[in-house]
Amino acid sequence: MTFLTIGHRGVMGVEPENTLRSYLRAERCGMDVIALDLRLSKDGALVAVHDPEVDRTTDGSGAVADLTVAELRELDAGQGERVPVLEEVLDAVRVPIQALVGDLPTATALAALILRHDLTSRVEVASAQEAVLAETARLAPGVRTVLYADSPGDGAGSVVDRASAVGAATVAVDVHRLSLETVDSAHAAGLRVTGLAVDTLDLLRLARALGLDGAVTDFPEIRSTGRFTA
């Protein structure tokens, strides 16, 4: 089984997060997948921004939802980079994309783009909200989905049960909170398990010991030290 390295917002540990510069470096470093965050601009474009506001990641201020694409493009997202729209990312890199969305309007727009450009084999949709994943799967049949969770949970509220209920293919959980029991349970249910964020060699060793299928990381070095198969 091949271990996947997933570049978190590109490789945000060394490049400005969610920028083309970061995604391109992630691809050059051999990341298997690039994880990015999507929000809707005021004029309905899918833009790669993590926070609800642009204050932390750009030289601007205000809510993403209150800014048009043209206004977002005027902002410096770090080292002269601009806030990209998803179509720009898809044109710039060839590796698979894991798109994280947090609300139904964004999921609806993403599902429409996936269908319009036949991207079900290239773009998987991730969210911490089961309703978002369920609606995405309904709108774009065949799309792969990933349930994000801070904790594996327990009982009927376990991440395994939650993911299975909405047909997710993968669960992504804080690597510090994962156990062999959770990983075995997920694998028994036919789910892949990725850990986040695996940013040190010790955490990479932990990911390997747990039998994870992949790791979300901020740093390109994890790729060069994590090329192993099980």
Side-chain angles (χ1 to χ4, degrees), residues 15-24 57-59 72-84:
E15 299 288 2
E17 68 180 66
N18 282 324
T19 61
L20 292 181
R21 178 188 178 101
S22 190
Y23 304 142
L24 287 167
T57 57
T58 77
D59 61 352
L72 288 165
R73 288 190 190 283
E74 294 177 358
L75 306 179
D76 187 335
Q79 300 186 44
E81 289 291 304
R82 303 299 168 187
V83 174

PDB file of all heavy atoms in Angstrom, residues 15-24 57-59 72-84:
ATOM      1  N   GLU A  15       6.082  28.310   2.150  1.00  0.00           N
ATOM      2  CA  GLU A  15       5.573  29.229   1.142  1.00  0.00           C
ATOM      3  C   GLU A  15       4.251  29.840   1.618  1.00  0.00           C
ATOM      4  O   GLU A  15       3.585  29.275   2.482  1.00  0.00           O
ATOM      5  CB  GLU A  15       5.338  28.506  -0.196  1.00  0.00           C
ATOM      6  CG  GLU A  15       6.575  27.890  -0.829  1.00  0.00           C
ATOM      7  CD  GLU A  15       7.552  28.910  -1.400  1.00  0.00           C
ATOM      8  OE1 GLU A  15       7.291  30.134  -1.278  1.00  0.00           O
ATOM      9  OE2 GLU A  15       8.584  28.478  -1.945  1.00  0.00           O
ATOM     10  N   PRO A  16       3.865  30.979   1.056  1.00  0.00           N
ATOM     11  CA  PRO A  16       2.582  31.568   1.451  1.00  0.00           C
ATOM     12  C   PRO A  16       1.432  30.606   1.160  1.00  0.00           C
ATOM     13  O   PRO A  16       1.304  30.095   0.051  1.00  0.00           O
ATOM     14  CB  PRO A  16       2.480  32.818   0.567  1.00  0.00           C
ATOM     15  CG  PRO A  16       3.885  33.136   0.178  1.00  0.00           C
ATOM     16  CD  PRO A  16       4.575  31.814   0.060  1.00  0.00           C
ATOM     17  N   GLU A  17       0.622  30.345   2.150  1.00  0.00           N
ATOM     18  CA  GLU A  17      -0.422  29.321   2.034  1.00  0.00           C
ATOM     19  C   GLU A  17      -1.453  29.659   0.965  1.00  0.00           C
ATOM     20  O   GLU A  17      -1.786  30.822   0.729  1.00  0.00           O
ATOM     21  CB  GLU A  17      -1.117  29.128   3.372  1.00  0.00           C
ATOM     22  CG  GLU A  17      -1.954  30.303   3.834  1.00  0.00           C
ATOM     23  CD  GLU A  17      -2.612  30.043   5.179  1.00  0.00           C
ATOM     24  OE1 GLU A  17      -1.877  29.916   6.175  1.00  0.00           O
ATOM     25  OE2 GLU A  17      -3.854  29.979   5.220  1.00  0.00           O
ATOM     26  N   ASN A  18      -1.966  28.610   0.347  1.00  0.00           N
ATOM     27  CA  ASN A  18      -3.036  28.735  -0.647  1.00  0.00           C
ATOM     28  C   ASN A  18      -2.710  29.732  -1.760  1.00  0.00           C
ATOM     29  O   ASN A  18      -3.561  30.524  -2.180  1.00  0.00           O
ATOM     30  CB  ASN A  18      -4.356  29.116   0.042  1.00  0.00           C
ATOM     31  CG  ASN A  18      -5.018  27.940   0.718  1.00  0.00           C
ATOM     32  OD1 ASN A  18      -4.961  26.812   0.229  1.00  0.00           O
ATOM     33  ND2 ASN A  18      -5.648  28.175   1.854  1.00  0.00           N
ATOM     34  N   THR A  19      -1.463  29.661  -2.235  1.00  0.00           N
ATOM     35  CA  THR A  19      -1.061  30.477  -3.385  1.00  0.00           C
ATOM     36  C   THR A  19      -0.514  29.563  -4.476  1.00  0.00           C
ATOM     37  O   THR A  19      -0.098  28.432  -4.199  1.00  0.00           O
ATOM     38  CB  THR A  19       0.029  31.492  -3.007  1.00  0.00           C
ATOM     39  OG1 THR A  19       1.206  30.781  -2.547  1.00  0.00           O
ATOM     40  CG2 THR A  19      -0.441  32.438  -1.905  1.00  0.00           C
ATOM     41  N   LEU A  20      -0.492  30.061  -5.694  1.00  0.00           N
ATOM     42  CA  LEU A  20       0.069  29.265  -6.783  1.00  0.00           C
ATOM     43  C   LEU A  20       1.525  28.919  -6.515  1.00  0.00           C
ATOM     44  O   LEU A  20       1.982  27.822  -6.843  1.00  0.00           O
ATOM     45  CB  LEU A  20      -0.065  30.012  -8.110  1.00  0.00           C
ATOM     46  CG  LEU A  20      -1.484  30.190  -8.648  1.00  0.00           C
ATOM     47  CD1 LEU A  20      -1.446  30.924  -9.990  1.00  0.00           C
ATOM     48  CD2 LEU A  20      -2.200  28.852  -8.808  1.00  0.00           C
ATOM     49  N   ARG A  21       2.259  29.839  -5.917  1.00  0.00           N
ATOM     50  CA  ARG A  21       3.660  29.576  -5.578  1.00  0.00           C
ATOM     51  C   ARG A  21       3.775  28.358  -4.667  1.00  0.00           C
ATOM     52  O   ARG A  21       4.625  27.484  -4.865  1.00  0.00           O
ATOM     53  CB  ARG A  21       4.256  30.806  -4.898  1.00  0.00           C
ATOM     54  CG  ARG A  21       5.702  30.649  -4.461  1.00  0.00           C
ATOM     55  CD  ARG A  21       6.141  31.852  -3.623  1.00  0.00           C
ATOM     56  NE  ARG A  21       7.497  31.687  -3.160  1.00  0.00           N
ATOM     57  CZ  ARG A  21       8.569  32.275  -3.703  1.00  0.00           C
ATOM     58  NH1 ARG A  21       8.415  33.068  -4.744  1.00  0.00           N
ATOM     59  NH2 ARG A  21       9.778  32.076  -3.212  1.00  0.00           N
ATOM     60  N   SER A  22       2.889  28.273  -3.685  1.00  0.00           N
ATOM     61  CA  SER A  22       2.907  27.165  -2.736  1.00  0.00           C
ATOM     62  C   SER A  22       2.496  25.854  -3.400  1.00  0.00           C
ATOM     63  O   SER A  22       3.096  24.798  -3.165  1.00  0.00           O
ATOM     64  CB  SER A  22       1.980  27.479  -1.566  1.00  0.00           C
ATOM     65  OG  SER A  22       2.134  26.546  -0.519  1.00  0.00           O
ATOM     66  N   TYR A  23       1.492  25.912  -4.265  1.00  0.00           N
ATOM     67  CA  TYR A  23       1.038  24.702  -4.958  1.00  0.00           C
ATOM     68  C   TYR A  23       2.097  24.194  -5.932  1.00  0.00           C
ATOM     69  O   TYR A  23       2.335  22.985  -6.031  1.00  0.00           O
ATOM     70  CB  TYR A  23      -0.256  24.967  -5.719  1.00  0.00           C
ATOM     71  CG  TYR A  23      -1.383  25.510  -4.874  1.00  0.00           C
ATOM     72  CD1 TYR A  23      -2.242  26.478  -5.374  1.00  0.00           C
ATOM     73  CD2 TYR A  23      -1.579  25.069  -3.564  1.00  0.00           C
ATOM     74  CE1 TYR A  23      -3.284  26.981  -4.604  1.00  0.00           C
ATOM     75  CE2 TYR A  23      -2.607  25.573  -2.785  1.00  0.00           C
ATOM     76  CZ  TYR A  23      -3.464  26.529  -3.312  1.00  0.00           C
ATOM     77  OH  TYR A  23      -4.486  27.036  -2.564  1.00  0.00           O
ATOM     78  N   LEU A  24       2.720  25.100  -6.641  1.00  0.00           N
ATOM     79  CA  LEU A  24       3.748  24.698  -7.611  1.00  0.00           C
ATOM     80  C   LEU A  24       4.941  24.057  -6.906  1.00  0.00           C
ATOM     81  O   LEU A  24       5.505  23.078  -7.388  1.00  0.00           O
ATOM     82  CB  LEU A  24       4.199  25.897  -8.438  1.00  0.00           C
ATOM     83  CG  LEU A  24       3.178  26.382  -9.473  1.00  0.00           C
ATOM     84  CD1 LEU A  24       3.570  27.764 -10.007  1.00  0.00           C
ATOM     85  CD2 LEU A  24       3.067  25.390 -10.625  1.00  0.00           C
ATOM     86  N   THR A  57      -3.982  36.384   5.996  1.00  0.00           N
ATOM     87  CA  THR A  57      -3.167  35.834   4.907  1.00  0.00           C
ATOM     88  C   THR A  57      -2.866  36.820   3.783  1.00  0.00           C
ATOM     89  O   THR A  57      -2.160  36.463   2.843  1.00  0.00           O
ATOM     90  CB  THR A  57      -3.845  34.591   4.307  1.00  0.00           C
ATOM     91  OG1 THR A  57      -5.162  34.934   3.862  1.00  0.00           O
ATOM     92  CG2 THR A  57      -3.931  33.475   5.337  1.00  0.00           C
ATOM     93  N   THR A  58      -3.399  38.033   3.863  1.00  0.00           N
ATOM     94  CA  THR A  58      -3.108  39.039   2.835  1.00  0.00           C
ATOM     95  C   THR A  58      -2.845  40.386   3.504  1.00  0.00           C
ATOM     96  O   THR A  58      -2.963  40.532   4.724  1.00  0.00           O
ATOM     97  CB  THR A  58      -4.276  39.203   1.839  1.00  0.00           C
ATOM     98  OG1 THR A  58      -5.325  39.972   2.460  1.00  0.00           O
ATOM     99  CG2 THR A  58      -4.840  37.857   1.396  1.00  0.00           C
ATOM    100  N   ASP A  59      -2.550  41.380   2.678  1.00  0.00           N
ATOM    101  CA  ASP A  59      -2.364  42.732   3.207  1.00  0.00           C
ATOM    102  C   ASP A  59      -3.670  43.512   3.226  1.00  0.00           C
ATOM    103  O   ASP A  59      -3.665  44.725   3.455  1.00  0.00           O
ATOM    104  CB  ASP A  59      -1.302  43.484   2.393  1.00  0.00           C
ATOM    105  CG  ASP A  59      -1.679  43.641   0.932  1.00  0.00           C
ATOM    106  OD1 ASP A  59      -2.691  43.040   0.482  1.00  0.00           O
ATOM    107  OD2 ASP A  59      -0.964  44.380   0.211  1.00  0.00           O
ATOM    108  N   LEU A  72     -10.122  40.893  -4.667  1.00  0.00           N
ATOM    109  CA  LEU A  72      -9.209  39.928  -4.057  1.00  0.00           C
ATOM    110  C   LEU A  72      -7.873  39.897  -4.780  1.00  0.00           C
ATOM    111  O   LEU A  72      -6.815  39.736  -4.159  1.00  0.00           O
ATOM    112  CB  LEU A  72      -9.849  38.535  -4.054  1.00  0.00           C
ATOM    113  CG  LEU A  72     -10.991  38.330  -3.065  1.00  0.00           C
ATOM    114  CD1 LEU A  72     -11.774  37.066  -3.388  1.00  0.00           C
ATOM    115  CD2 LEU A  72     -10.449  38.259  -1.634  1.00  0.00           C
ATOM    116  N   ARG A  73      -7.906  40.050  -6.091  1.00  0.00           N
ATOM    117  CA  ARG A  73      -6.669  40.003  -6.874  1.00  0.00           C
ATOM    118  C   ARG A  73      -5.754  41.191  -6.587  1.00  0.00           C
ATOM    119  O   ARG A  73      -4.564  41.147  -6.898  1.00  0.00           O
ATOM    120  CB  ARG A  73      -6.991  39.960  -8.366  1.00  0.00           C
ATOM    121  CG  ARG A  73      -7.564  38.635  -8.846  1.00  0.00           C
ATOM    122  CD  ARG A  73      -7.612  38.624 -10.361  1.00  0.00           C
ATOM    123  NE  ARG A  73      -8.347  37.501 -10.894  1.00  0.00           N
ATOM    124  CZ  ARG A  73      -7.885  36.259 -10.978  1.00  0.00           C
ATOM    125  NH1 ARG A  73      -6.685  35.977 -10.533  1.00  0.00           N
ATOM    126  NH2 ARG A  73      -8.619  35.298 -11.508  1.00  0.00           N
ATOM    127  N   GLU A  74      -6.291  42.237  -6.036  1.00  0.00           N
ATOM    128  CA  GLU A  74      -5.477  43.404  -5.704  1.00  0.00           C
ATOM    129  C   GLU A  74      -4.659  43.192  -4.430  1.00  0.00           C
ATOM    130  O   GLU A  74      -3.739  43.947  -4.149  1.00  0.00           O
ATOM    131  CB  GLU A  74      -6.377  44.633  -5.535  1.00  0.00           C
ATOM    132  CG  GLU A  74      -7.060  45.082  -6.818  1.00  0.00           C
ATOM    133  CD  GLU A  74      -7.996  46.255  -6.587  1.00  0.00           C
ATOM    134  OE1 GLU A  74      -8.121  46.677  -5.414  1.00  0.00           O
ATOM    135  OE2 GLU A  74      -8.587  46.736  -7.562  1.00  0.00           O
ATOM    136  N   LEU A  75      -4.985  42.156  -3.683  1.00  0.00           N
ATOM    137  CA  LEU A  75      -4.326  41.909  -2.403  1.00  0.00           C
ATOM    138  C   LEU A  75      -3.054  41.088  -2.583  1.00  0.00           C
ATOM    139  O   LEU A  75      -2.958  40.242  -3.471  1.00  0.00           O
ATOM    140  CB  LEU A  75      -5.276  41.169  -1.461  1.00  0.00           C
ATOM    141  CG  LEU A  75      -6.651  41.812  -1.232  1.00  0.00           C
ATOM    142  CD1 LEU A  75      -7.475  40.937  -0.295  1.00  0.00           C
ATOM    143  CD2 LEU A  75      -6.511  43.218  -0.694  1.00  0.00           C
ATOM    144  N   ASP A  76      -2.085  41.335  -1.707  1.00  0.00           N
ATOM    145  CA  ASP A  76      -0.843  40.560  -1.678  1.00  0.00           C
ATOM    146  C   ASP A  76      -1.038  39.416  -0.680  1.00  0.00           C
ATOM    147  O   ASP A  76      -1.208  39.647   0.515  1.00  0.00           O
ATOM    148  CB  ASP A  76       0.323  41.445  -1.247  1.00  0.00           C
ATOM    149  CG  ASP A  76       1.674  40.747  -1.361  1.00  0.00           C
ATOM    150  OD1 ASP A  76       1.713  39.504  -1.315  1.00  0.00           O
ATOM    151  OD2 ASP A  76       2.696  41.447  -1.476  1.00  0.00           O
ATOM    152  N   ALA A  77      -0.996  38.192  -1.190  1.00  0.00           N
ATOM    153  CA  ALA A  77      -1.174  37.018  -0.336  1.00  0.00           C
ATOM    154  C   ALA A  77       0.153  36.457   0.158  1.00  0.00           C
ATOM    155  O   ALA A  77       0.217  35.337   0.669  1.00  0.00           O
ATOM    156  CB  ALA A  77      -1.946  35.939  -1.095  1.00  0.00           C
ATOM    157  N   GLY A  78       1.232  37.246  -0.005  1.00  0.00           N
ATOM    158  CA  GLY A  78       2.555  36.837   0.443  1.00  0.00           C
ATOM    159  C   GLY A  78       3.533  36.746  -0.706  1.00  0.00           C
ATOM    160  O   GLY A  78       3.248  36.078  -1.697  1.00  0.00           O
ATOM    161  N   GLN A  79       4.648  37.437  -0.601  1.00  0.00           N
ATOM    162  CA  GLN A  79       5.703  37.428  -1.618  1.00  0.00           C
ATOM    163  C   GLN A  79       5.161  37.802  -2.999  1.00  0.00           C
ATOM    164  O   GLN A  79       5.601  37.264  -4.019  1.00  0.00           O
ATOM    165  CB  GLN A  79       6.398  36.067  -1.669  1.00  0.00           C
ATOM    166  CG  GLN A  79       7.048  35.683  -0.340  1.00  0.00           C
ATOM    167  CD  GLN A  79       7.864  34.411  -0.422  1.00  0.00           C
ATOM    168  OE1 GLN A  79       8.620  34.207  -1.364  1.00  0.00           O
ATOM    169  NE2 GLN A  79       7.726  33.552   0.573  1.00  0.00           N
ATOM    170  N   GLY A  80       4.205  38.706  -3.000  1.00  0.00           N
ATOM    171  CA  GLY A  80       3.653  39.178  -4.266  1.00  0.00           C
ATOM    172  C   GLY A  80       2.629  38.265  -4.893  1.00  0.00           C
ATOM    173  O   GLY A  80       2.123  38.561  -5.983  1.00  0.00           O
ATOM    174  N   GLU A  81       2.289  37.184  -4.227  1.00  0.00           N
ATOM    175  CA  GLU A  81       1.295  36.253  -4.759  1.00  0.00           C
ATOM    176  C   GLU A  81      -0.112  36.813  -4.614  1.00  0.00           C
ATOM    177  O   GLU A  81      -0.385  37.604  -3.706  1.00  0.00           O
ATOM    178  CB  GLU A  81       1.379  34.915  -4.018  1.00  0.00           C
ATOM    179  CG  GLU A  81       2.619  34.114  -4.336  1.00  0.00           C
ATOM    180  CD  GLU A  81       2.609  33.581  -5.755  1.00  0.00           C
ATOM    181  OE1 GLU A  81       1.651  32.879  -6.121  1.00  0.00           O
ATOM    182  OE2 GLU A  81       3.568  33.867  -6.489  1.00  0.00           O
ATOM    183  N   ARG A  82      -0.992  36.389  -5.509  1.00  0.00           N
ATOM    184  CA  ARG A  82      -2.383  36.818  -5.462  1.00  0.00           C
ATOM    185  C   ARG A  82      -3.283  35.658  -5.031  1.00  0.00           C
ATOM    186  O   ARG A  82      -2.906  34.489  -5.112  1.00  0.00           O
ATOM    187  CB  ARG A  82      -2.828  37.322  -6.844  1.00  0.00           C
ATOM    188  CG  ARG A  82      -1.954  38.457  -7.365  1.00  0.00           C
ATOM    189  CD  ARG A  82      -1.993  39.671  -6.444  1.00  0.00           C
ATOM    190  NE  ARG A  82      -0.964  40.637  -6.767  1.00  0.00           N
ATOM    191  CZ  ARG A  82      -0.693  41.721  -6.041  1.00  0.00           C
ATOM    192  NH1 ARG A  82      -1.390  41.946  -4.929  1.00  0.00           N
ATOM    193  NH2 ARG A  82       0.257  42.560  -6.397  1.00  0.00           N
ATOM    194  N   VAL A  83      -4.469  35.973  -4.591  1.00  0.00           N
ATOM    195  CA  VAL A  83      -5.445  34.946  -4.231  1.00  0.00           C
ATOM    196  C   VAL A  83      -5.922  34.270  -5.516  1.00  0.00           C
ATOM    197  O   VAL A  83      -6.504  34.922  -6.383  1.00  0.00           O
ATOM    198  CB  VAL A  83      -6.642  35.555  -3.484  1.00  0.00           C
ATOM    199  CG1 VAL A  83      -7.721  34.501  -3.248  1.00  0.00           C
ATOM    200  CG2 VAL A  83      -6.190  36.179  -2.162  1.00  0.00           C
ATOM    201  N   PRO A  84      -5.675  32.967  -5.685  1.00  0.00           N
ATOM    202  CA  PRO A  84      -6.063  32.298  -6.932  1.00  0.00           C
ATOM    203  C   PRO A  84      -7.492  31.771  -6.905  1.00  0.00           C
ATOM    204  O   PRO A  84      -8.033  31.461  -5.837  1.00  0.00           O
ATOM    205  CB  PRO A  84      -5.069  31.138  -7.032  1.00  0.00           C
ATOM    206  CG  PRO A  84      -4.777  30.792  -5.604  1.00  0.00           C
ATOM    207  CD  PRO A  84      -4.874  32.082  -4.810  1.00  0.00           C
TER     208      PRO A  84
END
